[in-house]
Amino acid sequence: MVFRSVIYVGLLLLATLAALTLAQSNPYDANYRFQTRPPLPDPSVMPTLANGQIGFVAYGEYVHMNGVYNGLGGKSHRARIPNFGNIQLTNCSPSSGAGVSQTCTYQLNMRTGKFVTVDEPSDYRVVHEMYPHRYYDSILVNRVRLQRLSSQGVIQARLLQIPGQQREDFSWTPSRDIVMNSQVYTQHCGVTVQIEEANLQTFGHNVCVTYSSVPEYVEIQPETMAQEFMFYAAFTMDEEEGTRLIASISGMSNAQEESLHMAEMDKLWNRYGITVEGNHDLDRVVKASAFYLFSSLPAHNVAQTGGKYPFYGLAPAGLGRGGIVEQEYQGHSFWDTEIWMYPGILLMDPANAANILHHRNTVSVGARMNALMNGYRGMQFPWESAFTGTEVTPDCCPEVVNFQHHITADIAFAARQYYYATGDMEWFRLEACRLATETALFWLDRAVYNNATDMYDILNAMGPDEDHPDVSNNAFTNIMAAHNLFFGEFAACSCQDNSIDEATRKEMLQVARSLTLLYDSEDDFHPQFDGYQKGTPIKQADTVLLIYPLQYPMNMTTKVNNLRIYSEVTRENGPAMTWAIHTIGHLELNQLSEAAAMFDKSYRQYLREPFHVWSENGNNEPGAGNFITGAGGFLQSIINGYAGVRLHQDRLDIRNARPTPNTSVLHIPTIEYRGLQLSLAVRANAFTITIQTVAEGLKLLVDEKEENICANCQYNGTSASIQVTTDQTFNGCRLRPTTLGVKVADQTGAASVMQSSMMAFLSLVVCFLLRQMF
């Protein structure tokens, strides 16, 4: 426990005046704050606070650590660590047993990343801030400030420390007390009791909690106007690291600690702080969506620590949830990461996009094991992944394990998009080559030649529509697989991978081009799978994903029909991301009223008051809390929908940009493309691009006119394209465009290959028959 005084009334008045001045200068600052009075809502809609390393629900009794899981196979879940940083004001605590005082208020301040409780009787104020530190990312901070208003006597605030029970996730050793900076701290260490996969994990996870002793009361004397009391809890993998971090943070001033935290929060908001003007309610939704998404991502600059896992990806309910089997997805990673959360992160924060992709390489050994067990080459990523990268889907859901294999291609697609966005060939060699080639090998084995059509089929599949398992030639899956095969061939060629010979590379191209893409010429649409009948209900967006994010070339009439036909049969209670994708589709077709209706539908029914927490299901139906999958889809409807941003192999385009409904300006503070950073302000009739950081090898076209690129320069227009000017051939290799539905016999050089293969097959048949005869 550390006491620090803020005594001078003048300083308090100056701080208050500064806050008022700031609020007056930017009325949108209030949109970062979400406040309520007692009683607090159900824990399922309480806000999650996280920083990429630790996460917890406000007032929650457990903390989760990045990469720390307990449980075998499908029972693997985020390990529940007792939250010794769960300190509460007794007057305001729902757990006190004495009832909550009506003088209490609760506020989530997204700008600062803090959950703030205020108890304000008439003559004094107690302010309690709880937050995971953004620089010291293993530390949970509690700050309690007592401030005299009119009281003349001693002021006291009673505190409660409410950690969860030491459940079966850990085997705990006896605690010990240590003294640092004249304060007593307790250290409690344990190890998870069950491993996830015995072939890949031979050890449990070590965790140590180092936390402040918390007195029953904190108080100030009559001569003191205000005083702060600081309490720290560190969640590390060993005792030494916990001791070092606590000694470091407790040895600095309040201002230093606050400055380090806020510097990282500022960096995040400088990237994710999308603003819509003229509609405060919508602006609050946008800020909440960005906050809950980036909260589970690491800061760009953190204190140097040892013994910490690399970033372990994003789960649908974020880092602060997932500690109970078969609830909130147990902290597992799905396709949600790469298809729904990742695209917005990639354009605003490519460093964290790289972290997300690196996570898949971290668990790639498990993906290789999955492929081997199922009789395939290369990597097969599981539908649900936790610590080892093996399949950890619970026993409830065998269909997704057996059929929903598109996740492997989804991950390769995300790597392909990162290559588009950054052009980083060093990253490509280190991170993407093996990922791209080995996932492509999986699809080579997964595709089956169809002699009747002279094309390749993908059988026994399930697309995003989980109401239809075990289908053939799901359009989304086949196009994703083709993307993967083309990308894998390019990676094998440009990285000069000796394990993939030229014949295999040619096979990748041949199979990719010859994958079946179903098309109904009479009704001019793509059936979702073999045998799909118009009017058949579906769960969620599936074939409409061909418009975006797949951006598969097709006639405008086909886009119109795909969107119309599947919109009419999609479940009303489907996930939020469906309506975000429909929003983008309608915008591309210039169907503005339909887009506005879908946009409204994509968020309004999924947000839970009072803290704008995303829920998995609409219309107040139960579902996973802090559903950042929905938040990610919603942000795409803004960036890739209303702002009109599209990423291509050799350019980034901004076309058909419009403000969001019932707003005057849409402002995106940072879009980063191949080292060039810009901000984008979209108004009704034009947009303004402001260049923040320049980069080489690019040219800018605004309204088809080439402009000089310079820092701090602004450009107004209705269309823009940032194009790569350097040659995109590497080691004589070029990434081919994704095309499907070409018969093998119609491919250049393929006919002779197939003829040779058929002749060899016929020769074997003849030999077999001759042996039988003689």
Side-chain angles (χ1 to χ4, degrees):
M1 178 171 56
V2 181
F3 301 156
R4 292 175 185 155
S5 298
V6 182
I7 298 175
Y8 298 104
V9 177
L11 291 177
L12 290 171
L13 289 173
L14 285 173
T16 302
L17 288 171
L20 287 172
T21 301
L22 182 62
Q24 291 171 355
S25 65
N26 187 356
Y28 283 83
D29 283 352
N31 293 346
Y32 293 96
R33 297 190 289 275
F34 296 77
Q35 187 164 300
T36 191
R37 306 281 296 188
L40 280 169
D42 186 84
S44 65
V45 295
M46 284 289 284
T48 297
L49 300 169
N51 60 12
Q53 178 60 20
I54 60 173
F56 57 94
V57 176
Y59 279 20
E61 297 180 357
Y62 296 97
V63 166
H64 301 307
M65 284 179 65
N66 168 57
V68 177
Y69 294 85
N70 183 63
L72 176 66
K75 295 188 182 299
S76 177
H77 58 276
R78 292 201 192 279
R80 290 162 291 180
I81 307 166
N83 184 3
F84 289 97
N86 182 26
I87 299 170
Q88 301 175 18
L89 302 180
T90 302
N91 278 358
C92 304
S93 172
S95 304
S96 67
V100 176
S101 171
Q102 292 305 302
T103 59
C104 295
T105 58
Y106 311 92
Q107 182 185 98
L108 175 63
N109 188 330
M110 295 182 178
R111 183 66 186 82
T112 61
K114 300 177 180 181
F115 190 77
V116 184
T117 304
V118 179
D119 183 17
E120 189 167 353
S122 59
D123 54 354
Y124 68 92
R125 178 185 298 123
V126 184
V127 179
H128 169 219
E129 297 178 340
M130 174 191 298
Y131 54 101
H133 205 274
R134 265 285 161 185
Y135 178 75
Y136 288 102
D137 63 351
S138 297
I139 291 181
L140 193 166
V141 178
N142 282 271
R143 182 196 310 267
V144 179
R145 182 170 64 251
L146 273 63
Q147 181 179 338
R148 187 179 305 279
L149 299 178
S150 60
S151 172
Q152 301 298 311
V154 174
I155 298 174
Q156 289 185 327
R158 189 175 183 182
L159 305 179
L160 292 174
Q161 187 179 38
I162 312 175
Q165 297 179 3
Q166 296 178 13
R167 294 186 179 273
E168 62 275 9
D169 286 348
F170 288 91
S171 174
W172 295 98
T173 58
S175 61
R176 68 181 186 120
D177 289 341
I178 56 177
V179 178
M180 288 182 286
N181 294 326
S182 302
Q183 302 301 321
V184 176
Y185 288 83
T186 300
Q187 278 195 323
H188 207 37
C189 298
V191 61
T192 52
V193 297
Q194 198 166 30
I195 59 177
E196 183 176 290
E197 215 302 321
N199 291 310
L200 297 181
Q201 183 184 357
T202 58
F203 55 88
H205 303 279
N206 292 308
V207 166
C208 287
V209 188
T210 307
Y211 56 95
S212 308
S213 59
V214 177
E216 184 177 2
Y217 293 94
V218 290
E219 64 180 30
I220 57 175
Q221 298 300 313
E223 66 274 11
T224 303
M225 290 300 298
Q227 189 168 342
E228 288 186 343
F229 306 86
M230 305 294 292
F231 307 96
Y232 302 112
F235 298 83
T236 59
M237 289 187 165
D238 58 61
E239 296 171 324
E240 292 78 10
E241 191 64 19
T243 301
R244 189 184 69 80
L245 289 174
I246 290 290
S248 179
I249 195 170
S250 63
M252 62 179 56
S253 69
N254 286 12
Q256 290 172 318
E257 174 269 316
E258 178 84 358
S259 176
L260 288 170
H261 172 74
M262 285 307 302
E264 298 309 311
M265 289 300 300
D266 289 343
K267 291 176 186 176
L268 287 164
W269 281 117
N270 286 340
R271 289 181 176 273
Y272 292 88
I274 300 172
T275 298
V276 295
E277 295 183 15
N279 187 334
H280 284 273
D281 289 342
L282 180 57
D283 191 62
R284 288 167 66 79
V285 174
V286 175
K287 286 176 168 48
S289 302
F291 174 78
Y292 289 123
L293 180 62
F294 77 58
S295 288
S296 289
L297 293 170
H300 285 205
N301 184 36
V302 298
Q304 293 297 314
T305 58
K308 191 162 64 174
Y309 288 133
F311 180 62
Y312 250 81
L314 294 172
L319 179 55
R321 296 176 183 267
I324 301 175
V325 173
E326 294 193 12
Q327 290 188 27
E328 297 180 322
Y329 298 107
Q330 300 170 210
H332 298 167
S333 292
F334 294 70
W335 79 308
D336 301 45
T337 304
E338 282 78 15
I339 298 301
W340 301 113
M341 308 177 210
Y342 172 87
I345 295 168
L346 173 61
L347 289 174
M348 295 186 290
D349 185 7
N352 267 321
N355 284 330
I356 291 171
L357 292 174
H358 182 70
H359 157 240
R360 294 300 190 176
N361 276 328
T362 299
V363 297
S364 61
V365 174
R368 291 187 183 95
M369 185 172 124
N370 294 334
L372 185 63
M373 289 175 60
N374 293 323
Y376 302 118
R377 288 176 289 171
M379 294 181 192
Q380 179 186 1
F381 283 94
W383 182 243
E384 299 189 28
S385 176
F387 181 66
T388 62
T390 54
E391 184 63 74
V392 290
T393 299
D395 294 340
C396 65
C397 312
E399 293 87 357
V400 294
V401 174
N402 294 330
F403 306 120
Q404 205 159 14
H405 297 166
H406 64 78
I407 186 170
T408 295
D410 300 339
I411 292 165
F413 183 73
R416 180 176 174 138
Q417 295 291 299
Y418 186 86
Y419 163 67
Y420 286 1
T422 67
D424 186 343
M425 291 306 294
E426 181 65 17
W427 166 87
F428 189 87
R429 285 188 288 271
L430 294 175
E431 295 278 341
C433 277
R434 298 306 305 166
L435 178 74
T437 55
E438 293 194 47
T439 51
L441 286 174
F442 166 76
W443 290 110
L444 273 188
D445 289 352
R446 193 70 174 75
V448 177
Y449 179 69
N450 185 332
N451 190 57
T453 63
D454 192 29
M455 289 192 285
Y456 284 87
D457 297 335
I458 295 178
L459 312 177
N460 310 116
M462 178 195 285
D465 169 24
E466 294 173 338
D467 286 351
H468 293 93
D470 198 8
V471 300
S472 298
N473 293 322
N474 170 256
F476 175 86
T477 301
N478 284 22
I479 292 177
M480 269 297 190
H483 274 311
N484 197 163
L485 286 161
F486 281 113
F487 192 50
E489 189 277 335
F490 171 65
C493 180
S494 60
C495 297
Q496 300 179 337
D497 187 340
N498 294 327
S499 66
I500 308 295
D501 59 23
E502 185 176 357
T504 304
R505 295 204 332 262
K506 288 181 178 179
E507 186 183 6
M508 287 178 179
L509 294 177
Q510 176 183 294
V511 172
R513 293 187 181 114
S514 294
L515 280 170
T516 300
L517 179 61
L518 300 171
Y519 174 69
D520 183 323
S521 58
E522 182 176 345
D523 289 318
D524 187 19
F525 86 111
H526 292 289
Q528 187 171 291
F529 51 81
D530 275 335
Y532 178 82
Q533 298 296 315
K534 278 176 58 180
T536 302
I538 64 173
K539 176 183 177 181
Q540 65 188 75
D542 193 315
T543 305
V544 297
L545 294 164
L546 273 58
I547 301 172
Y548 173 88
L550 295 189
Q551 301 188 88
Y552 189 76
M554 66 183 86
N555 292 331
M556 190 63 70
T557 57
T558 309
K559 291 182 183 181
V560 170
N561 291 329
N562 278 351
L563 189 54
R564 176 183 55 80
I565 287 168
Y566 293 109
S567 293
E568 292 171 353
V569 296
T570 303
R571 272 198 217 168
E572 280 297 314
N573 65 346
M577 309 87 69
T578 287
W579 318 122
I581 287 299
H582 285 205
T583 300
I584 297 171
H586 286 302
L587 288 169
E588 182 154 322
L589 300 172
N590 205 35
Q591 299 171 343
L592 301 188
S593 60
E594 293 90 341
M598 289 297 102
F599 182 68
D600 188 79
K601 191 174 183 177
S602 75
Y603 72 86
R604 196 175 299 278
Q605 62 179 319
Y606 298 95
L607 291 179
R608 300 292 181 264
E609 298 295 345
F611 301 112
H612 273 36
V613 173
W614 277 82
S615 179
E616 178 181 18
N617 294 325
N619 300 322
N620 288 316
E621 295 180 13
N626 194 49
F627 192 58
I628 57 176
T629 302
F634 172 73
L635 292 175
Q636 286 187 69
S637 73
I638 295 174
I639 299 168
N640 306 105
Y642 282 98
V645 179
R646 287 289 192 280
L647 185 61
H648 302 278
Q649 180 176 341
D650 58 356
R651 69 190 188 281
L652 181 139
D653 289 340
I654 303 171
R655 302 186 186 278
N656 300 318
R658 311 169 180 90
T660 48
N662 304 311
T663 64
S664 56
V665 183
L666 164 61
H667 182 254
I668 302 175
T670 298
I671 294 173
E672 188 166 339
Y673 178 70
R674 298 200 174 219
L676 182 145
Q677 293 183 22
L678 61 90
S679 65
L680 176 65
V682 180
R683 296 174 178 82
N685 299 314
F687 58 71
T688 301
I689 292 173
T690 303
I691 303 297
Q692 300 164 341
T693 304
V694 299
E696 296 181 355
L698 300 173
K699 70 177 180 180
L700 171 64
L701 300 179
V702 178
D703 292 339
E704 309 303 327
K705 177 185 175 184
E706 186 170 353
E707 302 280 357
N708 291 325
I709 300 176
C710 52
N712 302 316
C713 292
Q714 292 188 339
Y715 312 87
N716 299 311
T718 58
S719 69
S721 183
I722 305 170
Q723 301 179 356
V724 178
T725 60
T726 54
D727 184 18
Q728 294 302 289
T729 300
F730 301 97
N731 294 327
C733 310
R734 181 175 291 274
L735 177 58
R736 269 72 167 214
T738 299
T739 55
L740 278 74
V742 181
K743 290 184 178 182
V744 173
D746 293 338
Q747 294 189 41
T748 303
S752 60
V753 173
M754 281 302 298
Q755 187 177 23
S756 299
S757 299
M758 289 301 297
M759 289 299 295
F761 174 75
L762 290 173
S763 297
L764 288 172
V765 171
V766 170
C767 290
F768 174 79
L769 292 174
L770 287 172
R771 282 198 299 269
Q772 298 302 311
M773 292 172 62
F774 298 99

